[in-house]
Amino acid sequence: MSRITDLLGTETGYYLDHKCKTIDKSLLHLPEKNVIDNVWKDSDRSIPTLRSLQTIFGHGRLANTGYVSILPVDQGIEHTAGASFAPNPLYFDPENIVKLAIEGECNCVATTFGVLGSVARKYAHKIPFMVKINHNELLTYPTSYQQVMFGTIREAWNLGAVAVGATVYFGSEDSRRQLVEVAEAFEYAHELGMATVLWCYLRNSAFKKDGTDYHSSADVTAQANHIGVTIKADIVKQKLPTNNGGFKAIGFGKTDERMYSKLTTEHPIDLCRYQVANGYMGRVGLINSGGESHGQSDFHDAVVTAVVNKRAGGIGLISGRKAFQKPMKEGVDLLHLIQDVYLDESITIA
């Protein structure tokens, strides 16, 4: 705990002593070691899918805690390989991505067909694989927000994956096609016994208004989560909320004033709690993204995100750039620091 509080510094009380008075924690399905029995056994998920979920929850340093620490590396496609790996060219080699996840004692590694396919026979039995099945490649000009499939569910299954991940760009002109494609892909993944994870991201230039970016607004991101669990994501990935009131500011959608006066406050833990609630009150676990690397502040920022996610009722972090854009030893240290937050029993649900 001392390292965590050292990194939080003067913010320690703000994050660790906060009491949530919006959505009570007693209403949530909270992370715990028997998550498969207590949350998933009565669902329509196939027996092999339950086994795949348990494989993820039962692996790594957070094994059987109900929490997950995932290493995601799809930035080579999403952000260009050069921009992503220039800070550490080691990771142009796919094997080092998998090695980082193993050394970091993650629950699983989430990356592309190409990365996992290139080393599948060597590593598929050593760490759970999650294949990211669609991407928005960055060579299309001008830039568009169209996630397209880069392979098939059968291909992911053949290379040994226990899970597939996909993105829907909610709010984009192409979002409804993405919804249909991903829903069909998730259905087939469940038939084959794989778990499903949805990146519930927002993309629309109109979501920036009067100098404020509402792509990570609590009300809008939470609704994206709610749609994501409706198409049977087993876990949803979302950015940590940075503000609220996106629906009202942009002037679309439907709202109830109690969304802002009763169900949320301005505190980041309460905003994240609203995201958790929109995942069927935590039945579908929320993982928050680690975000881009900012250099010296990465360890502080990672602790803050982990504390907010855990105290809100989330199930973990999926953090990539903060880890792989550093020397491997430092990347492993950062992943372990994130895990320390979830292993620390004194950091409780707010």
Side-chain angles (χ1 to χ4, degrees):
M1 171 65 96
S2 60
R3 188 182 182 194
I4 294 169
T5 54
D6 285 347
L7 285 164
L8 290 176
T10 57
E11 301 171 316
T12 298
Y14 180 71
Y15 288 111
L16 296 185
D17 297 335
H18 175 71
K19 298 183 186 301
C20 183
K21 297 179 181 179
T22 55
I23 299 168
D24 194 82
K25 65 181 181 181
S26 65
L27 300 175
L28 302 177
H29 299 270
L30 295 172
E32 43 86 30
K33 65 179 181 179
N34 295 317
V35 61
I36 305 303
D37 287 337
N38 294 337
V39 173
W40 287 110
K41 73 174 183 179
D42 293 328
S43 73
D44 66 350
R45 303 311 193 258
S46 67
I47 292 173
T49 295
L50 297 182
R51 184 174 61 222
S52 291
L53 283 166
Q54 180 58 50
T55 298
I56 294 171
F57 280 102
H59 189 85
R61 193 158 171 252
L62 296 182
N64 302 314
T65 62
Y67 293 106
V68 296
S69 166
I70 299 172
L71 177 72
V73 187
D74 62 352
Q75 290 85 354
I77 296 172
E78 300 277 349
H79 303 158
T80 77
S84 300
F85 302 138
N88 193 347
L90 191 72
Y91 293 107
F92 276 109
D93 185 339
E95 185 170 9
N96 289 318
I97 293 171
V98 180
K99 283 182 177 179
L100 176 60
I102 292 173
E103 291 296 317
E105 299 177 89
C106 294
N107 296 72
C108 73
V109 57
T111 184
T112 66
F113 282 103
V115 167
L116 295 176
S118 68
V119 295
R121 200 172 300 277
K122 185 173 182 179
Y123 290 105
H125 57 294
K126 296 178 182 177
I127 185 170
F129 281 3
M130 181 191 307
V131 179
K132 184 65 165 45
I133 59 174
N134 67 354
H135 302 282
N136 182 39
E137 50 79 23
L138 207 62
L139 279 182
T140 299
Y141 186 82
T143 301
S144 64
Y145 302 123
Q146 295 193 27
Q147 289 279 330
V148 296
M149 294 294 176
F150 269 53
T152 66
I153 295 299
R154 173 67 66 171
E155 185 181 353
W157 184 80
N158 282 337
L159 63 80
V162 301
V164 295
T167 298
V168 170
Y169 278 155
F170 292 97
S172 71
E173 292 182 358
D174 200 47
S175 61
R176 292 186 177 180
R177 182 216 22 110
Q178 295 168 35
L179 274 169
V180 171
E181 283 187 355
V182 172
E184 291 176 349
F186 279 6
E187 179 185 17
Y188 189 31
H190 283 148
E191 286 180 11
L192 292 180
M194 291 185 287
T196 58
V197 181
L198 189 65
W199 278 235
C200 297
Y201 283 174
L202 305 177
R203 286 293 187 278
N204 192 310
S205 58
F207 290 177
K208 296 179 180 180
K209 186 171 182 181
D210 299 329
T212 301
D213 189 345
Y214 292 100
H215 280 93
S216 54
S217 181
D219 54 350
V220 188
T221 56
Q223 180 60 22
N225 290 358
H226 193 74
I227 297 172
V229 300
T230 304
I231 63 170
K232 294 192 175 179
D234 300 324
I235 297 172
V236 291
K237 176 189 176 186
Q238 187 56 265
K239 294 181 179 181
L240 203 66
T242 57
N243 53 40
N244 203 2
F247 278 128
K248 295 194 293 184
I250 301 163
F252 82 114
K254 292 182 180 294
T255 62
D256 184 307
E257 190 54 38
R258 287 167 290 192
M259 292 166 56
Y260 310 100
S261 62
K262 300 290 186 182
L263 301 182
T264 58
T265 70
E266 293 182 355
H267 197 285
I269 292 173
D270 294 343
L271 296 177
C272 189
R273 173 68 56 87
Y274 187 65
Q275 288 183 338
V276 172
N278 273 271
Y280 295 157
M281 283 296 190
R283 285 182 181 270
V284 176
L286 170 70
I287 53 175
N288 286 118
S289 54
E292 64 182 303
S293 174
H294 295 290
Q296 291 185 339
S297 68
D298 282 352
F299 286 82
H300 165 269
D301 296 345
V303 165
V304 168
T305 305
V307 167
V308 170
N309 173 271
K310 181 181 182 181
R311 300 208 69 218
I315 67 166
L317 291 197
I318 179 165
S319 186
R321 283 170 288 174
K322 282 183 170 61
F324 72 74
Q325 289 183 339
K326 292 177 172 58
M328 186 172 288
K329 184 178 180 181
E330 290 183 28
V332 169
D333 186 31
L334 184 134
L335 291 169
H336 283 169
L337 176 64
I338 289 169
Q339 294 157 11
D340 288 344
V341 171
Y342 293 96
L343 291 171
D344 192 328
E345 294 182 357
S346 70
I347 301 175
T348 58
I349 311 299

